[in-house]
């Protein structure tokens, strides 16, 4: 199960890399900076939950906040490109998320954090949940399409191999 999960993650990463490589757009620096802010804030939250302060962490590594931000730049740019590509797919595929889907996702958050759903609703915007769910569906479309594309490419090779075998089989009985 672990190997299968790792293979799935690797496949998804390769598909997302291909998606990013095909994004032909100038990404405004402010979008990348905002994503860096988000990633650093999440990292700082995880550090605090483990009893460590950001300043202590940076001191331990011998770096400053500018160097940390710089280390996040490539990943943040990739995330922005993925998000933009998925949002475009949501638009083109006319993906819609039902209120029931949003409610189910909010309940999942509430259960995960051991909080009442009403409290979660005050902390997390339904619009943000809707956008995230739509992007997940778009990602599923991309992955499914990539799998279908891989199968289509593999099928002609099998047919070619079978076609090569048939003449050989026909020649053998004739001799």
């Amino acid at each position: 199960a672990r190997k299968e999960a790792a293979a799935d993650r690797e496949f998804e990463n390769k598909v997302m890399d291909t998606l990013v490589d095909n994004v032909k757009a100038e990404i405004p620096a402010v979008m990348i900076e905002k994503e860096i802010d988000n990633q650093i804030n999440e990292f700082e939250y995880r550090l605090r939950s483990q009893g460590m302060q950001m300043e202590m962490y940076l001191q331990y590594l011998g770096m400053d906040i500018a160097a940390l931000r710089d280390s996040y730049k490539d990943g943040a740019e990739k995330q922005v490109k993925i998000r933009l590509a998925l949002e475009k797919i949501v638009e083109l595929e006319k993906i819609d998320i039902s209120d029931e889907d949003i409610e189910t996702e909010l309940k999942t958050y509430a259960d995960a954090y051991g909080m009442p759903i009403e409290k979660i609703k005050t902390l997390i915007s339904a619009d943000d949940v809707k956008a995230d769910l739509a992007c997940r569906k778009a990602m599923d479309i991309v992955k499914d399409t990539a799998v279908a594309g891989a199968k289509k490419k593999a099928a002609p090779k099998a047919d070619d191999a079978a076609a090569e075998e048939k003449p050989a089989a026909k020649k053998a009985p004739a001799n």
Side-chain angles (χ1 to χ4, degrees):
R2 267 194 323 236
K3 287 181 180 181
E4 189 174 312
D8 287 346
R9 278 192 307 277
E10 184 178 338
F11 174 74
E12 184 174 312
N13 287 336
K14 286 181 180 181
V15 169
M16 290 300 113
D17 286 345
T18 301
L19 184 65
V20 166
D21 291 344
N22 286 304
V23 171
K24 305 293 184 223
E26 287 296 319
I27 308 298
V30 69
M31 290 179 81
I32 296 169
E33 291 300 317
K34 185 176 177 188
E35 181 62 25
I36 291 171
D37 290 343
N38 290 339
Q39 290 182 13
I40 288 178
N41 287 338
E42 287 177 25
F43 180 67
E44 186 172 15
Y45 176 78
R46 287 193 309 272
L47 281 176
R48 273 192 255 128
S49 71
Q50 297 173 10
M52 186 180 273
Q53 297 297 318
M54 179 66 86
E55 295 77 22
M56 183 188 301
Y57 175 80
L58 291 173
Q59 190 175 33
Y60 176 74
L61 291 180
M63 66 177 9
D64 61 9
I65 192 70
L68 181 68
R69 291 183 67 79
D70 191 51
S71 72
Y72 276 84
K73 187 175 182 178
D74 290 342
E77 183 175 0
K78 181 178 178 180
Q79 280 305 116
V80 169
K81 285 182 176 183
I82 288 171
R83 186 71 180 207
L84 290 173
L86 293 175
E87 287 173 354
K88 187 65 175 177
I89 292 167
V90 167
E91 177 189 327
L92 294 172
E93 295 292 327
K94 297 177 177 66
I95 295 173
D96 194 31
I97 303 299
S98 70
D99 291 342
E100 183 180 315
D101 291 339
I102 295 168
E103 192 71 20
T104 300
E105 186 72 2
L106 289 169
K107 182 166 180 5
T108 301
Y109 292 155
D111 293 344
Y113 292 105
M115 299 171 78
I117 194 166
E118 296 309 317
K119 177 68 175 174
I120 291 292
K121 287 179 178 180
T122 64
L123 299 172
I124 301 173
S125 157
D127 288 339
D128 289 345
V129 172
K130 184 176 185 173
D132 287 345
L133 288 172
C135 283
R136 275 194 231 157
K137 284 188 177 187
M139 187 178 299
D140 289 342
I141 289 171
V142 170
K143 287 190 303 188
D144 291 346
T145 302
V147 169
K151 287 181 182 174
K152 285 179 186 174
K153 288 181 182 176
K157 289 180 184 174
D159 290 343
D160 291 343
E164 287 176 18
E165 288 177 25
K166 285 181 183 175
K170 287 180 183 176
K171 287 181 184 176
N175 287 335

